[in-house]
Amino acid sequence: MAITVLLVDDHELIRQGLRRSFERDGDFEVVGEAGSIADADRLLRITHPDVVVLDVRLPDGSGLKLAANAREHFQQLGIVILTMYAGDEQLFAALEAGASAFVPKNAPSEDVVAAARHAATTPQSFTAKDLADAM
């Protein structure tokens, strides 16, 4: 059974690239795409994905706030935070929001897929490549 994924980023090009990476892997099925908090919130409730890949900055609000809200309502949802702003402050904010993984946008697409796999398997456990350095 495929791991279902919802992609949330306001850049269509990034969503398309992520979709291709997940589809190439074969273990995933992209069940929706959103470019805003409002669309993401609606699609989360309709599609009930295993994992959401979520940009931090969206035109109508903070992806971190959506992550915290999603964690509260969907305990077993894997949440991967994807951001251009990959500093320690963002990493700790993602951890605090209840994310399962944190990946900078300049990481290879395989890292995003691996983070989603981790998030689907252990949604309550946090992983990030720079976590040890940030601590």
Side-chain angles (χ1 to χ4, degrees), residues 3-7 22 28-33 49-53 116:
I3 299 167
T4 56
V5 182
L6 172 62
L7 304 174
F22 282 111
F28 294 89
E29 177 190 354
V30 176
V31 294
E33 294 182 24
D50 298 314
V51 178
V52 61
V53 177

Side-chain angles (χ1 to χ4, degrees), residues 59-77:
D60 58 344
S62 164
L64 292 172
K65 283 186 183 164
L66 177 60
N69 187 42
R71 172 60 63 228
E72 190 177 315
H73 291 93
F74 307 103
Q75 294 294 310
Q76 294 308 308
L77 175 66

